[in-house]
Amino acid sequence: MDGKKITIIGLGGVGGYFGFKLAYQYKNNPTVKITFVARGETYARVKAEGFTLLSPEHVDPVVRPATIVNDLAQLPESDLILISVKEYDLEQVCLQIKEKIKADTLLLPLMNGVDIYERMRKIITTGVVFPACVYVASHIKEKGVVEHKGNRGKIILGKDPQKKSREPAWVVDVLKESGVDTIYKENAITDIWTKFFFIASFGLVSARYNKPIGQVHKEPEPRARVRAIMGEIQQIAVNKGITIPKNIIELTFEKASTFPYTTPTSLQLDVHTNKAHTELELFAGSIINYGGQLNFPVRETEKIYAEILQLYVN
Ligand SMILES: NC(=O)C1=CN([C@@H]2O[C@H](COP(=O)(O)OP(=O)(O)OC[C@H]3O[C@@H](n4cnc5c(N)ncnc54)[C@H](OP(=O)(O)O)[C@@H]3O)[C@@H](O)[C@H]2O)C=CC1
Ligand SMILES: CC(C)(CO)C(=O)C(=O)O
């Protein structure tokens, strides 16, 4: 894997965690060059002091990438680009980088959502895009500082359905070498939907009640609402022909129990810190849209969507 150039766009919870691991692994190895793309205060802080990851996995918490840029217009030539921005910034990022994507540029979106690949492909028609999902509990503590708790971060990626001959072998190698739990599958669609079952249901309910995953899992009312939302997603997935285990709901509750009790979801944090944008549309909006397209009632999701919107009014 000599002579690879890897760029990470977005130094938040996800990009910060995985970007740190890559930059740390290759900090004294000029054959793999890591570039961070950050903006505003994050850029200024990381440029001046380096990027900090507070995690039980790292004793030495600060890393300096080989390069940091604050403008996508300065995106360097890259063999691999990790995109870890929130859903509402994805389109703009894709529009800004699309001219720089060559036939052999690899793109790995590290985001939640079941239609990220399709959204990227509407804008970026060249290169190779690996559909993926990600598990990690990490959030911005302050600009340039990310805090990670709980299990080691994990990435599951699959082949680009349009470029099936392109194997992500070296990408898997660099991630594993950097200490990332990485799983490669021919087709990652089942895993992406499996993650969506978990994050859409627990994300919406945790945001509605401002309660962490453990409490939502334990208390009867939030738990029942999680179950109802998952039932709606299950109807949609089955109808779309997505292969998912029959006991997906029980499996998802089991998965949730592996997170530390107090882990918040990113939607909960964004809603309750009054962020101007949230990923409510990525979770509730997608379920409601799919329900409409397929003619399935998704009343529980519609109800919680309205309740979360109401939190902004109050
Ligand atoms: N946090 C988590 O634990 C997990 C999150 N996810 C998913 O991963 C995705 C990313 O989430 P997360 O990392 O938490 O989000 P964050 O909001 O923590 O981080 C996103 C970062 O992207 C930056 N960004 C956006 N646009 C640009 C741009 N044009 N140039 C440079 N930087 C940019 C933002 O900058 P700025 O700060 O200036 O706005 C921010 O720092 C989401 O889809 C989320 O649902 C998945 C698993 C776990
Ligand atoms: C719940 C968690 C942290 C798990 O990866 C997540 O995906 C999110 O908050 O978006």
Side-chain angles (χ1 to χ4, degrees):
M1 72 186 72
D2 276 3
K4 296 296 187 199
K5 299 187 200 74
I6 304 177
T7 299
I8 294 103
I9 302 177
L11 282 189
V14 170
Y17 175 86
F18 293 106
F20 178 96
K21 290 201 169 272
L22 287 163
Y24 200 85
Q25 175 66 23
Y26 296 112
K27 63 180 179 175
N28 297 319
N29 180 347
T31 60
V32 179
K33 191 178 168 213
I34 307 293
T35 297
F36 286 171
V37 183
R39 60 186 180 188
E41 217 184 309
T42 309
Y43 169 78
R45 172 109 184 238
V46 177
K47 176 103 182 138
E49 299 169 24
F51 175 78
T52 301
L53 177 69
L54 304 173
S55 164
E57 291 165 12
H58 293 275
V59 185
D60 181 5
V62 182
V63 78
R64 284 176 184 277
T67 316
I68 176 161
V69 299
N70 69 349
D71 186 352
L72 285 168
Q74 296 163 22
L75 190 82
E77 198 185 304
S78 310
D79 299 296
L80 169 67
I81 302 176
L82 269 52
I83 302 182
S84 45
V85 298
K86 285 275 170 56
E87 170 263 336
Y88 43 81
D89 284 322
L90 179 65
E91 187 182 0
Q92 200 48 43
V93 166
C94 291
L95 287 168
Q96 284 181 269
I97 66 173
K98 73 175 198 174
E99 300 304 338
K100 302 221 171 166
I101 307 302
K102 298 189 178 145
D104 56 357
T105 310
L106 309 180
L107 294 128
L108 177 60
L110 298 179
M111 301 176 59
N112 280 319
V114 282
D115 61 351
I116 298 298
Y117 175 86
E118 286 76 19
R119 289 192 200 196
M120 287 179 68
R121 276 291 182 218
K122 272 193 189 149
I123 302 171
I124 299 175
T125 50
T126 181
V128 181
V129 179
F130 298 119
C133 65
V134 53
Y135 289 91
V136 65
S138 47
H139 300 100
I140 297 173
K141 193 162 196 261
E142 44 194 92
K143 299 286 185 184
V145 180
V146 162
E147 185 169 32
H148 161 244
K149 290 182 179 159
N151 303 336
R152 182 171 287 273
K154 176 173 169 178
I155 295 174
I156 305 173
L157 72 158
K159 274 189 182 172
D160 183 337
Q162 292 178 15
K163 305 273 169 70
K164 289 212 168 129
S165 63
R166 298 300 306 267
E167 295 275 353
W170 74 262
V171 177
V172 173
D173 288 347
V174 283
L175 288 168
K176 282 191 173 168
E177 224 173 81
S178 307
V180 176
D181 185 359
T182 312
I183 298 174
Y184 162 64
K185 302 204 168 159
E186 280 272 316
N187 184 342
I189 191 84
T190 295
D191 298 274
I192 292 171
W193 275 82
T194 300
K195 171 72 198 279
F196 189 71
F197 268 84
F198 167 56
I199 193 57
S201 60
F202 275 85
L204 289 167
V205 177
S206 66
R208 159 66 181 83
Y209 294 97
N210 197 13
K211 290 182 175 175
I213 292 175
Q215 224 175 327
V216 169
H217 186 272
K218 186 172 155 212
E219 292 180 2
E221 183 181 320
R223 190 180 167 91
R225 297 195 77 178
V226 162
R227 184 179 287 281
I229 294 168
M230 282 200 267
E232 294 177 349
I233 303 173
Q234 191 169 22
Q235 271 194 328
I236 291 166
V238 168
N239 204 269
K240 284 180 76 64
I242 310 292
T243 310
I244 35 155
K246 282 209 167 55
N247 59 342
I248 184 76
I249 296 182
E250 291 323 315
L251 291 176
T252 307
F253 276 119
E254 268 169 40
K255 178 184 297 176
S257 70
T258 67
F259 281 81
Y261 190 85
T262 54
T263 308
T265 66
S266 48
L267 184 64
Q268 176 194 355
L269 290 178
D270 287 352
V271 167
H272 291 279
T273 50
N274 275 320
K275 283 264 181 73
H277 302 284
T278 72
E279 291 189 315
L280 186 57
E281 292 303 326
L282 182 72
F283 301 135
S286 318
I287 301 172
I288 294 168
N289 287 339
Y290 284 132
Q293 285 164 21
L294 299 167
N295 245 329
F296 278 131
V298 287
R299 294 203 184 89
E300 187 61 37
T301 304
E302 282 170 351
K303 185 163 175 259
I304 208 156
Y305 176 71
E307 288 170 4
I308 295 171
L309 286 180
Q310 195 59 28
L311 295 175
Y312 285 97
V313 178
N314 296 328

